[in-house]
Amino acid sequence: MDHLPDGARLRSDSTSSSASQSSRSKALLRQRLSQLMTCIEDMSSDDEAGEEVSRTLDEAFQLCGHFVPTDAFRLHIVTWNVATAEPPEDVISLLQLDVQTSTDLYVIGLQEVNAAPMRFISDLLAEDSWSHLFMDTLAPKGFVKVTSVRMQGLLLLVFAKHVHLPYIRNIQTTYTRTGIFGYWGNKGAVSVRFSFYGHMMCLLNCHLAAHITNALQRVDEFEYILETQDFDIFDTPHVLDHKVVFWFGDLNFRIDDHGLHFVRSSINSGRFNLLWSKDQLITMKKNEPFLQEFEEGPLNFKPTYKFDHKSDTYDTSSPKTWLGFNGKKRKPAWTDRILWRIKPLPSEEEEDDDVDDKASTSTDNMQDEYPFLVTQNAYTSDMSYGVSDHKPVVANFTLELRKCFNMPLVHVSPEGVWSADQNAFLTYVVQEDFMSSTWDWIGLYKVGFKHTSDYETFVWVREDELPEVNEVIQRSVDKEKIPLLGGEYVLGYYSTNMNSIIGISENFQILESKRGVMADPIPEDINGISK
């Protein structure tokens, strides 16, 4: 890992300059210039020659510099081992909602969520307390829980601004157990993959083997996770097939060799760099090629493990128990980490040796035409939270990309006036062919909804036959299902095959019904006091 000075930003991209990529670009450029010279000799006018030169120079810039991304999105990742604790009162600081407002995606990876048998069963029936807290915090800010996956104490949550929902598609989740020889889920990984504006992303939340002596086992576990996790997507069946992978969690790597006193004095003096050379993950990356593909920002924050409960003081427990056995006094370590990987371009040996074939397919290559740049803006911990013996780690990224598409698969909109006094109507139009299903449905959501199942009511799409592209289809909504008090709502088309909302309407107003006025319902909130 290359450490940068304070304030520096780490950037990587899907068109990063490598020796193999540079040689391919030069070969293609030489070929196009050769073709240009041949064409110029056959040109009948200077105008034709000028047009050909201009076109070829454009291609040359594309081959050497590639396309410049046109859109930027902010991604905020949190990883936190919560040590079975209940959530704090709020997570505003953790999500940096008090200082930043431009985030597009939130990803929260938790480890050691309370998974006691009765608690785990109750969480299966309803959202766990941590999920509730994050949803209650983010929904008023316009964020919707896109998906989540849990394996015992491992929990991964993904939130997006609702305007991005139609462009997050093909969502799939999976998990891998590595505890007790792979039979127990106290250790392992949960992951989510999806397409974001056509770019394949994978998020991997891990909790690896503990203890300072198990560094090699942690590497083996991660390699096993990468090898065994698969998805039912033909072009990205495995984690490393995705254009970008974010790997985070309680990776449990420790600081070797240095004694407790040296580690603590280095931390107290802010000389974290003295500990980097003995960090197990940094050391392992030097010898493991597959780890070298993952990037990480500089560890310019205090190690996040192990702290006294509700304190920012490192472990003060006695090193000896009353029976004389070794106690659990732990040396501080950066156990909680966030890394990322941009899929490397294939090497020359992996491609066809025929230059002509390369020239004909290069501009169609998704990584050439639609690059994906990742810039890390911040990588730090939040010492203000004390419910666990770990401190949460946060990273903020800018994702620069050229959208592969900018139109929803389905356009959906309300028709006419909506109120509970009469049946309402909506229309939807399939704008691009996709694998639709008669199990698809259109939900009515109150603005500020928390997740895709948080609808007021829904209607099935047309059941007798699948729609044609650009065909306008109307569906009715029974007035008995429409909220009496009205308010601001949206309609969302949910695809069962893609596990996501692929079309969402503009905000619209549902009028308060006459029945509602006559019933004179007690408002839920009077002068800020909930009733």
Side-chain angles (χ1 to χ4, degrees):
M1 178 177 72
D2 296 328
H3 295 285
L4 303 182
D6 290 347
R9 303 199 303 166
L10 286 183
R11 176 159 135 168
S12 57
D13 59 78
S14 62
T15 57
S16 59
S17 57
S18 63
S20 61
Q21 179 192 349
S22 176
S23 62
R24 287 198 303 277
S25 295
K26 289 177 181 177
L28 291 168
L29 179 57
R30 281 196 299 269
Q31 184 188 42
R32 289 299 293 126
L33 290 176
S34 176
Q35 294 172 348
L36 172 63
M37 297 306 296
T38 302
C39 290
I40 289 177
E41 293 176 358
D42 298 331
M43 292 295 176
S44 58
S45 70
D46 290 340
D47 288 341
E48 285 184 289
E51 291 176 3
E52 183 64 17
V53 169
S54 177
R55 186 172 66 83
T56 301
L57 286 177
D58 285 343
E59 287 189 14
F61 283 121
Q62 291 169 8
L63 290 171
C64 293
H66 299 277
F67 292 91
V68 177
T70 57
D71 293 280
F73 303 90
R74 295 291 289 269
L75 166 66
H76 187 90
I77 298 180
V78 175
T79 180
W80 193 5
N81 184 322
V82 298
T84 72
E86 286 301 298
E89 291 185 3
D90 72 70
V91 286
I92 292 175
S93 172
L94 185 63
L95 301 176
Q96 297 182 0
L97 292 171
D98 49 350
V99 295
Q100 72 179 39
T101 58
S102 59
T103 301
D104 297 280
L105 297 170
Y106 277 102
V107 174
I108 296 102
L110 304 179
Q111 306 85 41
E112 291 194 24
V113 175
N114 191 339
M118 291 306 297
R119 182 61 176 271
F120 186 67
I121 292 173
S122 67
D123 288 347
L124 292 176
L125 300 175
E127 296 280 4
D128 62 276
S129 56
W130 285 92
S131 296
H132 272 300
L133 174 62
F134 285 110
M135 286 191 293
D136 291 343
T137 303
L138 288 170
K141 303 292 185 180
F143 290 90
V144 178
K145 191 186 82 170
V146 175
T147 190
S148 64
V149 56
R150 183 171 178 184
M151 179 185 72
Q152 288 181 220
L154 273 169
L155 176 64
L156 177 55
L157 303 164
V158 181
F159 294 85
K161 277 188 175 178
H162 86 273
V163 296
H164 300 311
L165 294 180
Y167 309 102
I168 300 175
R169 305 173 184 172
N170 295 317
I171 301 169
Q172 291 191 13
T173 63
T174 190
Y175 59 87
T176 301
R177 301 184 183 96
T178 59
I180 311 183
F181 306 106
Y183 291 100
W184 193 242
N186 65 316
K187 294 292 192 296
V190 292
S191 61
V192 171
R193 65 88 53 207
F194 55 86
S195 163
F196 184 66
Y197 288 95
H199 297 268
M200 308 305 176
M201 298 177 59
C202 188
L203 309 167
L204 191 62
N205 175 23
C206 290
H207 192 184
L208 303 180
H211 307 307
I212 194 169
T213 57
N214 290 330
L216 186 58
Q217 181 181 341
R218 288 187 273 277
V219 175
D220 290 341
E221 285 182 354
F222 183 53
E223 191 168 21
Y224 173 75
I225 289 166
L226 294 178
E227 290 174 351
T228 56
Q229 287 203 351
D230 52 27
F231 304 96
D232 187 21
I233 301 289
F234 77 95
D235 55 349
T236 53
H238 304 294
V239 171
L240 297 185
D241 294 328
H242 293 76
K243 182 172 284 189
V244 60
V245 176
F246 289 95
W247 170 37
F248 48 89
D250 181 0
L251 308 186
N252 252 322
F253 289 102
R254 310 301 173 94
I255 297 173
D256 274 331
D257 297 341
H258 293 314
L260 178 61
H261 177 73
F262 180 82
V263 171
R264 290 192 172 183
S265 64
S266 298
I267 294 170
N268 292 335
S269 63
R271 295 181 295 172
F272 305 125
N273 60 301
L274 298 180
L275 307 176
W276 292 344
S277 63
K278 298 301 181 180
D279 176 83
Q280 290 179 337
L281 180 53
I282 296 175
T283 302
M284 288 292 177
K285 284 184 69 175
K286 295 177 182 178
N287 302 317
E288 298 289 346
F290 81 100
L291 288 179
Q292 293 168 12
E293 295 180 356
F294 285 87
E295 302 181 55
E296 184 181 26
L299 298 170
N300 285 326
F301 53 90
K302 294 174 66 174
T304 53
Y305 175 81
K306 172 181 168 74
F307 287 86
D308 288 340
H309 186 59
K310 294 186 178 180
S311 167
D312 58 1
T313 302
Y314 285 106
D315 186 14
T316 58
S317 61
S318 172
K320 296 287 185 178
T321 67
W322 68 278
L323 292 175
F325 296 109
N326 288 333
K328 287 190 174 183
K329 190 166 188 176
R330 302 298 190 205
K331 185 165 58 174
W334 286 288
T335 57
D336 311 283
R337 312 286 275 269
I338 300 173
L339 300 91
W340 75 96
R341 172 190 183 269
I342 291 288
K343 184 179 180 182
L345 289 174
S347 64
E348 289 186 15
E349 291 76 12
E350 295 172 321
E351 292 189 331
D352 190 350
D353 292 331
D354 189 339
V355 175
D356 290 335
D357 289 344
K358 291 180 187 177
S360 65
T361 60
S362 176
T363 55
D364 294 329
N365 188 301
M366 287 290 285
Q367 282 191 266
D368 287 337
E369 190 173 358
Y370 296 99
F372 192 110
L373 284 71
V374 175
T375 303
Q376 187 181 68
N377 306 309
Y379 187 32
T380 187
S381 60
D382 192 328
M383 292 289 163
S384 66
Y385 291 94
V387 300
S388 167
D389 55 355
H390 290 250
K391 300 297 183 182
V393 171
V394 298
N396 185 272
F397 298 90
T398 297
L399 311 180
E400 298 175 79
L401 56 90
R402 182 180 178 188
K403 296 176 182 177
C404 301
F405 47 78
N406 55 17
M407 182 177 68
L409 291 174
V410 177
H411 175 77
V412 57
S413 61
E415 294 294 317
V417 176
W418 280 52
S419 80
D421 295 323
Q422 59 190 15
N423 291 345
F425 295 90
L426 62 87
T427 60
Y428 69 94
V429 179
V430 174
Q431 302 185 116
E432 183 181 334
D433 193 23
F434 70 98
M435 191 181 295
S436 58
S437 166
T438 55
W439 290 102
D440 294 351
W441 45 268
I442 299 170
L444 175 66
Y445 297 94
K446 189 173 181 62
V447 170
F449 66 101
K450 298 177 182 179
H451 52 85
T452 55
S453 297
D454 189 21
Y455 49 76
E456 300 292 326
T457 186
F458 74 93
V459 294
W460 296 108
V461 300
R462 188 174 65 186
E463 299 180 12
D464 51 350
E465 58 180 318
L466 296 177
E468 299 289 336
V469 174
N470 295 326
E471 179 185 1
V472 179
I473 301 171
Q474 186 180 77
R475 303 295 292 164
S476 64
V477 181
D478 192 302
K479 64 181 181 181
E480 300 298 330
K481 303 294 185 180
I482 298 175
L484 288 172
L485 296 180
E488 197 171 14
Y489 289 82
V490 295
L491 296 167
Y493 184 110
Y494 186 86
S495 166
T496 55
N497 288 323
M498 294 188 180
N499 297 315
S500 61
I501 291 176
I502 59 173
I504 195 163
S505 73
E506 297 290 336
N507 294 5
F508 68 99
Q509 197 74 23
I510 294 181
L511 303 179
E512 183 176 16
S513 74
K514 296 176 182 178
R515 289 188 296 132
V517 173
M518 293 175 62
D520 191 25
I522 298 174
E524 295 181 358
D525 188 284
I526 300 177
N527 295 328
I529 302 175
S530 296
K531 294 292 181 180

